[in-house]
Amino acid sequence: MVGSGALLRQCPLLLPQNREGTAYEGFVTAQGRDFHIRILLPMDFQLKNARIECSWHLKKILHGYQHILKQRLHSCPDLVSFMVELKTILEIALKNTQDLHIARPPEYYSCLVRDLEILGWNKVAYVDSGFTTIKLKAEDSCGRQHLVTLKLNAKYPTEPPDCLVDFPVQFAISWMPQNSLIDIYNQFLAALESLKEFWDAMDEIDGKTWVLEPENPTRSATTRRIAIGNNVSVNIEVDPRHPNMLPECYFLGADHVVNPLRIKLNNNMHLWDPEISLLQNLKDLLEIDFPSRAVLEKSDFAKDCGICYAYRLDGTTPDQVCNDPRCGQPFHQACLYEWLQGLPSSRQSFNVIFGECPYCNK
């Protein structure tokens, strides 16, 4: 559920439309202007599957920022933090929209071209025709490719550009009027190295296990749902600042399979060794070997939902499993919720609904 008090403080004009807290409508405010917005959350409150509807005017302003908003939906833990990110992006977009109409002095272009020449054109991935948006490319010490997008306003270099990156943490630059693009680039390189261990850990997981979600993880994604076996997986949330520490773990699957894993994790927690890799630690604590990409296919774990007969539904995969060991059929949470709501025999307690399995009637 969303922290209603925190949301009210951040967006006092955005109000819940139902008791469940899955629909919000109202206005988001930036630079003294109000923009109409509607947010629809799924029943499991997963932001990555939220739907955002906004006025044509707001849609036009945010046109060039869709990929950043999509990343933020995947990486923000709750609606409050996403709304903070949305307001920040909206402020940048509004500022850049206004800047497009401000005539830039000749010194702006001469200064910018000089900076780019000193930096080296080989580090430039993209420049728009108005020299207001620049993308710089860099390689970290492990050979991974990264981009930083700079949105420059008419007062550059007196004021710094806005920097947009695919990072799991905020990238804040220090800037003085005498600084140049080289200073930003060097700070970008330093930030890449500070996140090296985090990306190393995530790359090892992506390369050696079957990751069920997210399907194509961005560099800012801090969660991975890793297949353990048929209809059982673990969702981990890694702290990018401390990637060698024990991550938050949430098991998905039938109770008879998941409970022994929970017990092993709790009993072996003291064995966690920050000197060895995150993946090896997980194997040691859970006393398992994750299914190998070399031996098994993803389809071995991708069992379709027993209600809609599809694997992926609006970006989600089946994560609810029948507890009966003889059944073990997986379902999408949304499908199962809808099914159980329609059964006269099911009962609901707060936000938990109880009923019979559509497959085995247990």
Side-chain angles (χ1 to χ4, degrees):
M1 279 292 289
V2 175
S4 54
L7 186 65
L8 196 64
R9 281 192 297 276
Q10 284 298 334
C11 301
L13 301 178
L14 188 68
L15 301 171
Q17 301 297 301
N18 58 9
R19 274 187 184 176
E20 292 81 16
T22 57
Y24 290 81
E25 189 166 2
F27 298 89
V28 59
T29 306
Q31 292 194 8
R33 293 162 66 187
D34 296 332
F35 299 92
H36 185 256
I37 192 167
R38 190 161 181 251
I39 298 169
L40 301 170
L41 299 170
M43 292 307 298
D44 58 3
F45 300 103
Q46 291 286 314
L47 268 184
K48 61 185 176 183
N49 301 319
R51 200 163 87 237
I52 297 171
E53 298 171 355
C54 50
S55 62
W56 69 269
H57 188 210
L58 180 56
K59 200 175 282 186
K60 191 178 173 186
I61 292 166
L62 294 173
H63 177 68
Y65 300 83
Q66 284 121 319
H67 66 292
I68 299 159
L69 286 169
K70 204 169 276 187
Q71 280 175 12
R72 296 299 178 261
L73 273 174
H74 274 75
S75 57
C76 286
D78 52 46
L79 184 57
V80 180
S81 53
F82 172 71
M83 290 309 295
V84 173
E85 294 275 5
L86 175 62
K87 284 171 79 171
T88 305
I89 292 165
L90 184 52
E91 292 276 354
I92 293 168
L94 284 167
K95 197 162 75 173
N96 288 327
T97 306
Q98 290 161 4
D99 284 343
L100 289 174
H101 306 296
I102 298 171
R104 292 167 192 238
E107 302 82 54
Y108 168 88
Y109 297 102
S110 58
C111 175
L112 190 54
V113 170
R114 187 192 67 231
D115 281 1
L116 287 168
E117 283 175 349
I118 295 168
L119 178 66
W121 288 97
N122 61 321
K123 296 181 176 73
V124 179
Y126 168 83
V127 181
D128 72 339
S129 57
F131 273 72
T132 58
T133 300
I134 296 168
K135 291 184 182 182
L136 303 177
K137 56 186 176 182
E139 207 176 79
D140 63 26
S141 56
C142 290
R144 288 177 287 247
Q145 298 291 325
H146 303 270
L147 286 175
V148 55
T149 302
L150 310 177
K151 301 272 186 182
L152 296 103
N153 65 43
K155 292 180 182 174
Y156 177 85
T158 310
E159 289 184 7
D162 291 312
C163 301
L164 304 166
V165 289
D166 186 9
F167 282 4
V169 293
Q170 192 178 6
F171 176 56
I173 60 163
S174 57
W175 182 267
M176 296 181 76
Q178 64 268 30
N179 285 148
S180 69
L181 295 185
I182 300 142
D183 298 290
I184 292 178
Y185 194 77
N186 289 334
Q187 290 177 53
F188 181 55
L189 289 176
L192 291 181
E193 288 314 298
S194 73
L195 290 163
K196 176 188 173 298
E197 287 186 356
F198 167 73
W199 285 323
D200 284 349
M202 297 316 239
D203 282 356
E204 187 185 15
I205 288 167
D206 292 340
K208 294 183 178 177
T209 71
W210 280 115
V211 172
L212 303 179
E213 290 179 286
E215 204 167 20
N216 299 302
T218 60
R219 286 288 172 204
S220 59
T222 57
T223 62
R224 294 292 189 275
R225 183 179 160 207
I226 310 167
I228 294 175
N230 201 3
N231 299 333
V232 61
S233 57
V234 61
N235 201 72
I236 64 165
E237 173 85 40
V238 183
D239 182 347
R241 295 289 189 201
H242 306 98
N244 293 329
M245 303 307 288
L246 176 66
E248 282 185 42
C249 297
Y250 174 67
F251 295 98
L252 295 141
D255 287 346
H256 69 279
V257 183
V258 160
N259 287 339
L261 290 168
R262 282 200 194 107
I263 291 164
K264 280 178 186 173
L265 181 67
N266 290 331
N267 290 346
N268 296 334
M269 220 176 266
H270 65 284
L271 298 173
W272 187 273
D273 182 359
E275 297 302 314
I276 62 175
S277 78
L278 188 149
L279 181 60
Q280 189 56 52
N281 267 310
L282 285 173
K283 288 179 183 179
D284 293 347
L285 264 64
L286 298 174
E287 299 172 17
I288 58 165
D289 254 329
F290 288 100
S292 165
R293 293 177 72 94
V295 179
L296 295 161
E297 293 297 319
K298 194 172 184 177
S299 55
D300 294 324
F301 314 104
K303 202 171 175 187
D304 293 345
C305 169
I307 295 170
C308 72
Y309 300 109
Y311 179 64
R312 202 162 284 279
L313 177 72
D314 296 333
T316 65
T317 57
D319 60 357
Q320 304 296 309
V321 180
C322 175
N323 279 328
D324 192 301
R326 291 165 296 181
C327 177
Q329 175 64 41
F331 307 96
H332 293 116
Q333 184 162 324
C335 294
L336 192 58
Y337 185 82
E338 199 175 320
W339 173 279
L340 293 173
Q341 270 197 321
L343 285 181
S345 58
S346 67
R347 59 188 178 84
Q348 189 162 350
S349 174
F350 296 103
N351 63 337
V352 180
I353 192 163
F354 301 87
E356 294 170 354
C357 170
Y359 242 65
C360 68
N361 297 327
K362 292 289 170 66

